[in-house]
Amino acid sequence: MRTRVGIIGGGPAGLLLARMLHREGIDCVVLEARTRTYVERRQRAGMLEQGTADALRACGAGARLDAEGLVHHGIELRFERGRHHLDFPALAGRTVTIYAQTEIVKDLVALQLAEGPPLLFEAEAYAIEKPESDAPRIRFRHEGRERTLDCDWVIGCDGFHGIARAAIPAALRRTYTYDFPYSWLGILADVPPSCEELIYARGADGFALHSMRSPSVSRLYLQVPNGTEPSAWPDDRIWRTLDERFATDDGWRLERGPITAKSVTPMRSYVSEPMRHGRLLLAGDAAHIVPPTGAKGLNLAVSDVRLLARAFAERERTGSEQLLDSYSQLCLERVWQATRFSFDMTTMLHAQPGGGAFEQRLQHARLRRIADSPHAAAELAALYTGLPLGG
Ligand code: RFL
Ligand code: PHB
C-alpha cells in the first residue's frame, strides 16, 4: 500500500486530521489498532472549546454537534459551601460546548467510511521505518497478515500508549513528567444533570466535578487515592461522597440515578519534545498528556491537527514547508500553556494527601481571588475557553 500521509491511530486526532487532509485533496490512510465498536465506546472527554467545535463544523462534522451539543456560558466554582459563577462571554467573549468524545468519534468514523479516505480497523502498526528519509514506511498487522504502508509523511496520532513517539531516537527526545498523588473515579448515571453548567467543587475532603452528556445523562467525577479499584466504591458510597463534596449552605441537591459505568483514571502531566523527527510528526496524546481538570486533552489534540492540516495545505499550495518546520515549536508553546493551566486547576481544587492546614488556606485564597477579582476570573476564563490557534 502507498499513500501521501500515513496516519497511525483512529482517535479524535487521527480521524479529524484525515478528514481535514481529505478536504484539501491530500491523500491519506488511517490505521487503527482496535475495532470500530471499541473506539466508539471509549468514555472520555466532554468539554469542547469554541475553536474545537468550529473545526468540527468546518470539516462537515458539525450537524449532530449543533443539534445535540449543549452550549455552556460558564462554569461554577464551589468551595467553603459557597457557589461562584464564572460568566465566559462576559469574561472571555467565548462559550464552550458539551458534546462527548464518543459522539465526535462516531461522527468522524461515519463520514470517513462514507466518503474516504481509507480507515482500517484492527490494523496495528508495529514499526515506523526510516522516518528521517523522504520515504518512511509503516509496518502493520491486518487480518492476520503483516503489511506495509509506504508514505511521504507519517503522523503519530496513536495516543499515550502508541509506538510513534518511541520512533524518535531517545537521544533526540526530552520528556517531562509529573504524576499527581490522586486519581479520578468517573461515573455515568442515567439521571438528568442537577445543574445547568459544570460544577468544579473543592469539598472539605477533596475534589468533585459535575459534568453531563445529555439532558438525561450525568457524568460525575470524584478525587480518590491512587491505586483505587472501582469495586471499592459501591454506588451508595459514591453518591454519599458526592453529596458531601458538593454540599452548599443554600440547600442545593444532587439527584441520583442508576450508575451505568465506573472507571478510575490516574492524573498525569507528560510532554515529549520535539513533536517532529524528519518526516514523522506527533499529534495529540502521543506527544502530551494533561490531567483532565482543565478539560484540555482533546482540545490540544484538535489544535495540533488543525496546525498540521494547515501546514500540509500550505505545502500543497505553495511548496513551502515553513509551517511544517515550525509545527513542533508552535504546538509546544500551546501545550505548555495548557500544562500550566491544568496544573494550576488541579492543585487548586484537589486535597493534597497529607497536606496540612497551610496548603488548604492557600487553595482557598486562590479560589477566593478568582471569585472576587474580575482580572483573576478573566485569566481562568481565557484559558478554559481556549487560547487562539496562532501559527
Ligand atoms: P486517543 O484518543 O488515545 O487515540 C489514539 C488511538 O490510537 C490507537 N492506537 C493505534 N493504532 C494503530 N497502531 C498502533 N500501534 C496504535 N496504538 C494506539 C488507539 O487504539 C486509539 O484509538 O488519542 P488522541 O486522538 O490524541 O485524543 C486525545 C484524547 O482522547 C484525550 O486527550 C482526551 O480524552 C482527554 N480528556 C479530556 N480532554 C478534553 O479536552 N476535555 C475533557 O473534558 C476531557 N476529559 C479526558 C477527559 C480524558 C480522560 N481519561 C480517561 C484519560 C476525561 C477523562 C476521564
Ligand atoms: C467531562 O465531561 O468528561 C469533563 C468535563 C470537564 C473536565 C473533565 C471532564 O474538566
Side-chain angles (χ1 to χ4, degrees), residues 50-67:
Q50 196 162 306
T52 299
D54 289 345
L56 290 166
R57 288 185 191 109
C59 73
R64 224 156 51 87
L65 166 73
D66 284 330

Side-chain angles (χ1 to χ4, degrees), residues 97-127:
T97 303
I98 298 294
Y99 188 64
Q101 182 169 326
T102 46
E103 305 312 301
I104 296 176
V105 167
K106 280 183 207 160
D107 295 345
L108 290 171
V109 166
L111 275 172
Q112 190 156 343
L113 292 179
E115 299 175 14
L119 162 59
L120 306 186
F121 288 105
E122 298 180 80
E124 184 181 9
Y126 62 89

